[in-house]
Amino acid sequence: MSAGPAAVATPHAVWDRLSRRADLRAKAGLTRTARPRADAVDLAGNDYLGLSRHPAVLAAAADALAEHGLGASGSRLVRGTTALHEAFEADFARHTGTGAAVLYSSGYLANLGAVAALATGPVLLDAHAHASLHDAARLAGARPETFAHNDLDDLEHRLRTLRPALVAVESVYSVLGDAAPLRDLHALTAAHGALLLVDEAHAVGTIGPHGAGGAAAAGLAGDPGVVITATLSKALGAAGGIVAGPAVLRRHLHDTGRTFIYDTAPPPAVVVGAAAVLVVARESDGARTELARRAALAAAALDAPAPAAGVCSPPAGDARAATAWAARCADRGVAVGCFRPPSTPDHRSRLRITVNTGVPAAEFAHALDTVLEARP
């Protein structure tokens, strides 16, 4: 007697399975909701120097919008590149002391492009590195491996064992807000013949000489063994991503980088706005000093790790407690970040306070008091 036909899953079964998974996430306090931005003191965004609304920035972007229109109309290699894109790339390379730079429509795509271009074997990542770096290693077909966060002994052991071509770290980490020991990391990677990729997303504009970032602060600007990635969406107040390194890397990314070749270019008005921010940010040493002061004040008040730049991450118990704390802050007119697994590499839930020096000092102090009062 022959067996009957095998059961075939229907589209309805797919949605049922996803619904059950959503229910399980809700029970664990892991539901994520995109809410419209409310009128609140901003301690959640990444506009560290408050430059996204600087008058010179808005004026430059408005002029470019009127001249070039809303979008870039094509990929960088088809129709999307303008003289504005190339001028920004050259200016960013000068700012960070690198040989050349390549602009992308997001920091995520910049990391994907850089890792895909450089991963000729296993990729070794700090356990706390951005998710985009971990995703990039997997998508590039490389074998991603991690070393313990900022643990030089573990890194050296894995360098000897794996012999990777690429080690990826952040200069300022996005969750805990701590700094990478870049000089020591570079010494190890150089000794083992590996490139060091430094994600400067939270460092460009906030640390280093004239805000040039962590690699420049560590004396590694322009080193041929270092590649920099960054986003324009944080201290530079715009949107987009960038990869900077030797000129030969730029050529390679143009010729072979899928996230460059097939992606629509960033809008010219956004690029011009970021360029204007970069000009102001170079002269904003006073704002960087104030950023450091406020971040240290927040960390001390909230019993959080000492920050390297503008990120303060106090622990918040489990996911439900973190969500409740963030909600109470929002109810009192203060927007804060809420990080829960899997977004936290140490599997702990926490708030993330991001300092914005565009918020008046008295308003920031009151907002910090509000966060303390709302704490469970």
Side-chain angles (χ1 to χ4, degrees):
M1 181 174 180
S2 60
V8 177
T10 67
H12 298 292
V14 174
W15 308 138
D16 289 344
R17 183 171 68 252
L18 296 185
S19 180
R20 288 193 297 272
R21 290 180 179 177
D23 290 342
L24 291 173
R25 290 194 300 272
K27 290 177 181 178
L30 298 177
T31 297
R32 284 161 167 75
T33 304
R35 294 183 175 86
R37 184 185 300 180
D39 185 18
V41 180
D42 184 11
L43 299 185
N46 297 309
D47 188 13
Y48 292 114
L49 304 180
L51 297 181
S52 67
R53 300 192 65 82
H54 190 284
V57 172
L58 297 181
D63 289 346
L65 181 64
E67 181 177 354
H68 295 276
L70 182 61
S73 82
S75 71
R76 292 289 308 278
L77 296 176
V78 175
R79 183 66 179 168
T81 294
T82 68
L84 304 172
H85 292 80
E86 298 210 338
F88 180 83
E89 289 170 332
D91 194 21
F92 186 88
R94 284 192 296 271
H95 182 63
T96 54
T98 49
V102 181
L103 188 59
Y104 294 78
S105 62
S106 74
Y108 198 101
L109 289 180
N111 274 344
L112 293 186
V115 173
L118 300 170
T120 59
V123 176
L124 189 52
L125 305 107
D126 186 288
H128 285 203
H130 271 135
S132 56
L133 291 169
H134 290 267
D135 292 349
R138 287 191 291 269
L139 292 172
R143 182 160 55 94
E145 299 279 352
T146 61
F147 65 95
H149 177 53
N150 278 347
D151 188 325
L152 297 171
D153 291 335
D154 191 36
L155 172 60
E156 185 170 21
H157 170 72
R158 292 178 177 273
L159 283 167
R160 288 175 175 169
T161 304
L162 295 170
R163 299 185 179 180
L166 183 67
V167 174
V169 302
E170 293 181 57
S171 52
V172 174
Y173 282 91
S174 56
V175 176
L176 295 184
D178 54 338
L182 291 181
R183 290 191 188 92
D184 294 333
L185 289 167
H186 176 257
L188 282 175
T189 55
H192 289 270
L195 287 173
L196 179 64
L197 187 151
V198 182
D199 184 331
E200 298 263 39
H202 293 273
V204 167
T206 64
I207 64 173
H210 304 293
L220 300 177
D223 189 289
V226 176
V227 172
I228 288 171
T229 65
T231 177
L232 314 187
S233 63
K234 294 182 171 52
L236 298 187
I242 200 156
V243 178
V248 66
L249 175 60
R250 174 183 166 91
R251 181 176 179 179
H252 183 70
L253 292 171
H254 275 213
D255 288 345
T256 69
R258 296 176 68 86
T259 60
F260 177 83
I261 295 170
Y262 298 110
D263 186 53
T264 298
V270 173
V271 175
V272 169
V277 170
L278 197 56
V279 171
V280 178
R282 285 193 189 98
E283 306 305 320
S284 296
D285 286 344
R288 279 183 281 277
T289 299
E290 176 64 7
L291 181 80
R293 185 192 74 81
R294 293 188 188 186
L297 182 65
L302 295 167
D303 300 320
V311 176
C312 171
S313 294
D318 62 17
R320 291 181 179 279
T323 304
W325 189 3
R328 284 194 291 272
C329 291
D331 290 343
R332 292 162 171 79
V334 179
V336 298
C338 179
F339 277 30
R340 296 159 291 164
S343 297
T344 52
D346 59 358
H347 307 294
R348 297 182 65 191
S349 296
R350 62 187 74 247
L351 291 195
R352 189 175 75 166
I353 310 298
T354 48
V355 176
N356 180 344
T357 60
V359 174
E363 195 171 329
F364 171 79
H366 178 70
L368 185 56
D369 287 341
T370 299
V371 175
L372 285 166
E373 291 166 4
R375 191 173 198 166

